[in-house]
Amino acid sequence: MTRHKSRENAFIAVFEASFSANDLDDILAVTQELPEYEDYMLDEFALNLIRTYYDHADEVNDMIQSKLKKWSTSRISRVCGAILRLSTAEMMFSPEDMDSIIINEAVEICKKFAGENDYQFVNGVLGAISKELRDNK
């Protein structure tokens, strides 16, 4: 599975989890077991990405909030929120320095699943996060 597909499938799982009171492990188990979810299987990369976000959710959410000018995270659509959270977690905690690739992948996922111009918002927030992370290295 390509990393793009892994990121997309991770996004779908996190997006689905945002509507459910079920435990993340329950949601992940369902996506791995049911044949109708075959196209959305989560490989090791996707599972690690999801777990990284959930393990560091407070730090990731704080980083996103710090880049929202006159906005709160409650105003962000669930689609954009899931994309921002996974992408921010990957940029903050991945040992690889691939911010431009991560941002590009996030924009492409956003174009596919979000509103018409939401990708611009996601690109701007992730660009600001990437800049801060680079400046602090």
Side-chain angles (χ1 to χ4, degrees):
M1 181 178 302
T2 67
R3 283 217 173 162
H4 175 79
K5 184 66 174 164
S6 293
R7 287 182 179 103
E8 189 174 296
N9 288 354
F11 153 74
I12 291 168
V14 169
F15 178 71
E16 181 180 344
S18 73
F19 290 96
S20 177
N22 291 339
D23 180 76
L24 175 66
D25 289 329
D26 293 339
I27 293 167
L28 296 178
V30 168
T31 64
Q32 300 301 91
E33 294 171 4
L34 297 177
E36 59 266 27
Y37 285 101
E38 186 176 342
D39 289 340
Y40 308 105
M41 295 297 286
L42 300 169
D43 64 2
E44 189 163 335
F45 179 81
L47 290 169
N48 285 335
L49 186 55
I50 293 168
R51 295 212 185 280
T52 297
Y53 164 64
Y54 279 91
D55 289 348
H56 301 281
D58 290 339
E59 293 168 84
V60 169
N61 291 333
D62 289 347
M63 175 63 84
I64 294 167
Q65 183 61 56
S66 75
K67 302 305 172 209
L68 300 178
K69 296 181 177 155
K70 300 180 184 176
W71 275 59
S72 69
T73 52
S74 64
R75 289 184 60 198
I76 299 173
S77 71
R78 288 181 194 228
V79 170
C80 290
I83 293 167
L84 285 170
R85 288 179 181 105
L86 286 173
S87 301
T88 301
E90 188 175 1
M91 287 192 297
M92 290 176 72
F93 299 104
S94 173
E96 300 171 339
D97 186 15
M98 303 183 344
D99 288 4
S100 61
I101 293 169
I102 294 166
I103 294 169
N104 184 59
E105 296 272 341
V107 166
E108 292 305 313
I109 292 169
C110 200
K111 286 179 180 178
K112 184 173 180 179
F113 293 100
E116 186 175 328
N117 295 315
D118 287 348
Y119 74 92
Q120 295 168 341
F121 170 75
V122 167
N123 186 54
V125 172
L126 292 177
I129 289 169
S130 176
K131 182 180 181 328
E132 180 174 326
L133 293 173
R134 275 195 323 268
D135 291 347
N136 290 335
K137 282 189 179 181

